[in-house]
Amino acid sequence: MANGSVRINGNALQLGDGAQIRFIRTLRLPESGTHGLPPGLGEFPLRRVEDHPDTVPPEWLAKGGVMLPVYLREAMWLSFAGTREPAALQVGVGKVCAVSGERWTGRLAHRPQNYVVLPRQPWLDGINSGKGTVRQFVAVPLGLGATVEGQVTGEETTGGVQLQAFPLGPEPLRLWREQERARLIPPPMPSFGGYAGAPAAPGSAPMAPRAAAPARSAPAMGLGVGGSMRQEVYEDTRPLSDWAEEPAARVFVHLVTPPEWRRITGEPAPPSPVDRAAYTRAGLPWFDHYDESGTDLPATDTLGAVKPVGDWIGDDHAPWVPPTPSQTHPLGNAPRPGKPVQDGDW
């Protein structure tokens, strides 16, 4: 269990001193073809599990962490904007590594690489499927076998998302800080929400909590995969010895259905995202990111064999309206802290 702190700042998770992660709602892509980066439709709200001891399932209290509301078949991506110092971030989906396809170990590895490097990796939309692509994260219930966890391990017992951040070791961090002080850092681009340079998406302010219902077992949710998009998962150029041997912080992220979110927190979940056709007809942007100095990690055989969730829950029959060329935007190279989030046994 990591000793470092995890905090919620707004809807962002702060892991240790540097790594910052936001969960972004987005459009679900078709499961055929390869697409550009879909737009951001606002942040998923985050709440600490320990703040709702009377309404969350007891096993959630044992794992600690945070929770967010997600609709069945809804897609998400992870934004790492706001990360202040280099971090090696492990991303688990049901304790299967989203980068390597290996089972969760809690230790960094190079062969195959089982982490992304922040802030070099600006976001992660899904599991690494190789050749400059990822397969989109899509929420599905446990028990069908549709999750990445179910397909890789043959069991669905964990669900959720697991995050663990390792900082640089003392000497590599000192050198990095010296280099940062020595070079001119250009002013950051304005933040519009979604991907860098994206327009803001309408948010949903939390309402006053209602009287909470008693705790009970909540439907378990995990992540499967959907459509393919053009996105590289970058190879780490540092030796493994540059990173600390122990993580700065880790956290378990529970995925909650909207009805359970209301029951547990007393708050309504944000409305379901606007459908793809309406978004595209409005002329809002899609994105295409390219970093010529980065090297893409190849996919492992394990993740390459993961099937899309449509094989279990059916195709998404919402009409697909592809964006026009003028809607796809190329992207160049890339508050006070809240209360600590309690970690647990997972």
Side-chain angles (χ1 to χ4, degrees):
M1 188 182 302
N3 295 322
S5 66
V6 177
R7 296 177 182 271
I8 299 177
N9 293 329
N11 288 325
L13 274 179
Q14 190 77 38
L15 271 63
D17 294 329
Q20 185 164 282
I21 301 100
R22 289 181 175 85
F23 295 84
I24 310 297
R25 313 179 78 208
T26 191
L27 302 178
R28 183 180 165 199
L29 297 174
E31 293 176 358
S32 60
T34 300
H35 308 273
L37 303 179
L41 297 177
E43 301 170 350
F44 286 94
L46 296 174
R47 300 291 181 267
R48 301 192 312 166
V49 167
E50 64 207 83
D51 288 338
H52 303 277
D54 297 328
T55 51
V56 297
E59 60 269 25
W60 290 17
L61 287 173
K63 293 178 179 178
V66 300
M67 55 187 173
L68 63 83
V70 61
Y71 288 82
L72 175 66
R73 304 185 186 185
E74 187 172 9
M76 69 167 64
W77 52 274
L78 278 58
S79 169
F80 308 131
T83 296
R84 296 190 298 268
E85 293 187 337
L89 179 71
Q90 292 183 311
V91 179
V93 287
K95 296 185 75 173
V96 172
C97 177
V99 177
S100 70
E102 302 285 328
R103 295 200 186 204
W104 184 269
T105 64
R107 295 288 182 180
L108 298 182
H110 257 177
R111 293 189 178 88
Q113 184 175 312
N114 64 355
Y115 59 94
V116 292
V117 180
L118 312 187
R120 178 62 183 278
Q121 189 79 37
W123 43 66
L124 185 68
D125 287 64
I127 66 168
N128 179 25
S129 50
K131 298 181 180 179
T133 66
V134 300
R135 299 296 299 271
Q136 190 175 40
F137 291 134
V138 178
V140 287
L142 302 190
L144 300 178
T147 62
V148 176
E149 175 188 3
Q151 295 187 59
V152 171
T153 70
E155 299 177 331
E156 291 183 313
T157 59
T158 303
V161 178
Q162 299 76 44
L163 301 171
Q164 184 163 257
F166 291 76
L168 286 173
E171 183 60 16
L173 181 58
R174 183 189 67 80
L175 293 175
W176 179 85
R177 286 172 174 170
E178 285 184 358
Q179 293 169 356
E180 288 298 289
R181 286 193 293 266
R183 72 182 182 90
L184 178 64
I185 302 178
M189 294 178 62
S191 176
F192 298 110
Y195 290 100
S204 176
M207 296 176 65
R210 299 182 181 182
R216 66 184 186 195
S217 178
M221 299 274 282
L223 291 180
V225 302
S228 176
M229 71 187 73
R230 293 182 292 274
Q231 181 178 111
E232 294 179 324
V233 178
Y234 295 118
E235 182 179 355
D236 187 11
T237 58
R238 291 180 176 274
L240 202 60
S241 58
D242 274 11
W243 300 106
E245 292 186 2
E246 296 295 328
R250 69 172 202 163
V251 65
F252 195 107
V253 183
H254 303 265
L255 306 181
V256 187
T257 63
E260 286 299 306
W261 178 264
R262 179 184 283 274
R263 184 191 65 79
I264 291 171
T265 67
E267 306 171 17
S272 184
V274 66
D275 71 84
R276 296 186 299 243
Y279 191 99
T280 301
R281 284 196 299 267
L284 299 174
W286 292 67
F287 304 94
D288 199 0
H289 180 264
Y290 177 67
D291 186 341
E292 62 183 9
S293 63
T295 301
D296 181 47
L297 280 176
T300 61
D301 292 341
T302 302
L303 291 183
V306 172
K307 297 178 181 179
V309 299
D311 287 7
W312 284 267
I313 60 177
D315 293 333
D316 185 353
H317 296 293
W320 170 247
V321 180
T324 65
S326 62
Q327 285 178 265
T328 303
H329 294 224
L331 298 177
N333 298 330
R336 290 185 66 181
K339 296 178 181 178
V341 173
Q342 180 180 342
D343 189 19
D345 183 10
W346 45 272

